[in-house]
Amino acid sequence: MPEPLRIGLVGGGFIGGVVGAQFFDNPDARVAALADPSEAAREEIATRFDLSSGALYTSYGAMLANEALDAVSIGTPHALHHDQILAALDDDLHVFCDKPLTVDLDSAREIAERTERSDRTVMVGYQRHLDPAFVAGRERWHDREPDCLTAEITQDWVTANEGTWRLDPDTSGGGFLYDTGSHLLDIVLWMVGLEPVSVAADMSFADDAARVDERARLSLDFTNGATATITTHGGACSHQEAIHVWDDEGATYFESSQWGSPEVTEIDAAGGRYTPHYDRFDTRTKGDAFVESIREGTEPPATVRDAFAVTAVTEAAYESARTGERVSIDRR
């Protein structure tokens, strides 16, 4: 049997702990090192994943220089992703990176092009690609082009993140749309498989500089003539999601709360409803999917190009909100 993949964690916060635990529990992987500037985070991760003091680093560069690794798992603030992904690829490592890919389109494009020139696996942390309900939705709607979509997400995001880097646009890239809203944009684009061509957006902001959006409303046009209305509200009292996808034969409704797997309702042209069954225990973790992709040499469930599409729409939406104009989406 091959040796377990040696994985270095970059960032010992919430994401580092969650995905790190998935690697720790996987017999084909081993948490080998951690880089985090926080002493408290280093101590906590070391205890959880049985790391010696010699495998703990205050800087990412030092970890790469001193550890024999096969892959890294990046769970750091959004603005750091670009440099950290490229440094890992320079060291010929596989990369798992939390979403979003990065916080500007040129950086996302550079990562996509570098990944495509490499034989390394690079996976982005959009876990909905592993949910059986959304996988079935993708299979259905790639065969039947939708003509109308609505999607919304709410969360008590602003209050919950007061005093953290998520409300600092220099590290987060923006606000609620770039953070939790990124999941909603991703699953809509990935599930329906349509090409977005332009977006009109308006936003309200939680900061005086109007950089950290609390609410956003996006109107997307696609190449096939379909339209989508997407709303994000980061000042709501609870986390709820709803995605409705329509064509002239009916619709699929995906509705969920508190990060749970969605309840799905199929609607036919006459308005009849039924609820399909999905095996919730058939969902792989992000860590397991990443390791499997490396071992089998297969494309990861959430690719850099998937994430690039999200960045393209997000950046165009911010530009539209600033200018008041509909903005073309650059997917090149």
Side-chain angles (χ1 to χ4, degrees):
M1 296 294 292
E3 290 294 317
L5 294 168
R6 299 161 298 183
I7 299 175
L9 303 182
V10 189
F14 176 75
I15 294 297
V18 169
V19 183
Q22 295 167 5
F23 295 134
F24 187 74
D25 292 337
N26 189 315
D28 289 327
R30 177 169 67 87
V31 177
L34 166 72
D36 194 295
S38 165
E39 181 178 1
R42 294 195 302 273
E43 290 177 352
E44 180 181 350
I45 291 294
T47 299
R48 289 181 63 184
F49 302 140
D50 195 25
L51 292 174
S52 70
S53 59
L56 305 178
Y57 298 87
T58 59
S59 79
Y60 177 51
M63 185 183 74
L64 293 186
N66 290 282
E67 292 288 335
L69 300 173
D70 301 299
V72 295
S73 175
I74 297 172
T76 56
H78 307 157
L80 302 179
H81 293 176
H82 170 262
D83 291 349
Q84 291 171 342
I85 292 171
L86 294 187
L89 291 175
D90 286 342
D91 275 16
D92 204 29
L93 301 178
H94 303 284
V95 182
F96 173 88
C97 184
D98 191 37
K99 62 80 203 164
L101 182 63
T102 185
V103 294
D104 71 82
L105 194 56
D106 288 340
S107 294
R109 183 180 293 109
E110 182 180 10
I111 293 170
E113 291 172 351
R114 281 287 306 277
T115 299
E116 288 163 358
R117 294 196 302 268
S118 168
D119 64 353
R120 301 293 87 181
T121 295
V122 182
M123 177 175 164
V124 185
Y126 287 118
Q127 68 266 17
R128 285 165 173 76
H129 295 210
L130 298 164
D131 189 298
F134 288 124
V135 171
R138 176 177 167 88
E139 292 171 353
R140 171 176 179 174
W141 288 103
H142 272 231
D143 291 336
R144 289 172 46 185
E145 285 192 358
D147 53 37
C148 181
L149 303 92
T150 62
E152 64 179 40
I153 189 167
T154 64
Q155 190 181 11
D156 185 17
W157 182 84
V158 173
T159 300
N161 289 290
E162 285 182 0
T164 73
W165 63 265
R166 295 183 189 275
L167 295 184
D168 178 358
D170 290 334
T171 54
S172 66
F176 188 57
L177 181 63
Y178 240 133
D179 196 53
T180 306
S182 183
H183 283 294
L184 189 67
L185 281 179
D186 164 71
I187 199 59
V188 167
L189 295 175
W190 181 78
M191 188 166 57
V192 302
L194 300 180
E195 183 84 10
V197 292
S198 67
V199 60
D202 61 83
M203 298 180 180
S204 60
F205 296 89
D207 62 329
D208 294 336
R211 296 179 64 195
V212 179
D213 57 287
E214 178 179 23
R215 302 185 192 185
R217 180 174 57 190
L218 283 59
S219 173
L220 276 173
D221 285 348
F222 296 92
T223 53
N224 73 333
T227 60
T229 301
I230 297 174
T231 59
T232 62
H233 182 4
C237 59
S238 68
H239 177 200
Q240 305 289 326
E241 295 183 47
I243 301 170
H244 300 165
V245 188
W246 284 89
D247 66 5
D248 57 7
E249 297 179 25
T252 309
Y253 282 18
F254 303 84
E255 298 178 329
S256 62
S257 62
Q258 306 301 331
W259 300 108
S261 186
E263 297 295 328
V264 181
T265 303
E266 296 284 358
I267 304 172
D268 63 28
R273 292 171 173 251
Y274 73 95
T275 301
H277 171 73
Y278 301 103
D279 184 358
R280 309 301 183 187
F281 295 101
D282 193 34
T283 304
R284 293 176 295 165
T285 69
K286 293 181 287 188
D288 289 349
F290 177 60
V291 171
E292 182 178 308
S293 293
I294 295 170
R295 290 296 196 204
E296 298 186 1
T298 55
E299 184 174 85
T303 68
V304 167
R305 280 295 171 183
D306 294 330
F308 177 83
V310 178
T311 302
V313 173
T314 303
E315 286 293 292
Y318 279 110
E319 181 182 347
S320 176
R322 288 193 300 268
T323 63
E325 303 290 335
R326 176 170 284 273
V327 174
S328 295
I329 296 169
D330 185 358
R331 289 286 304 274
R332 296 172 298 163

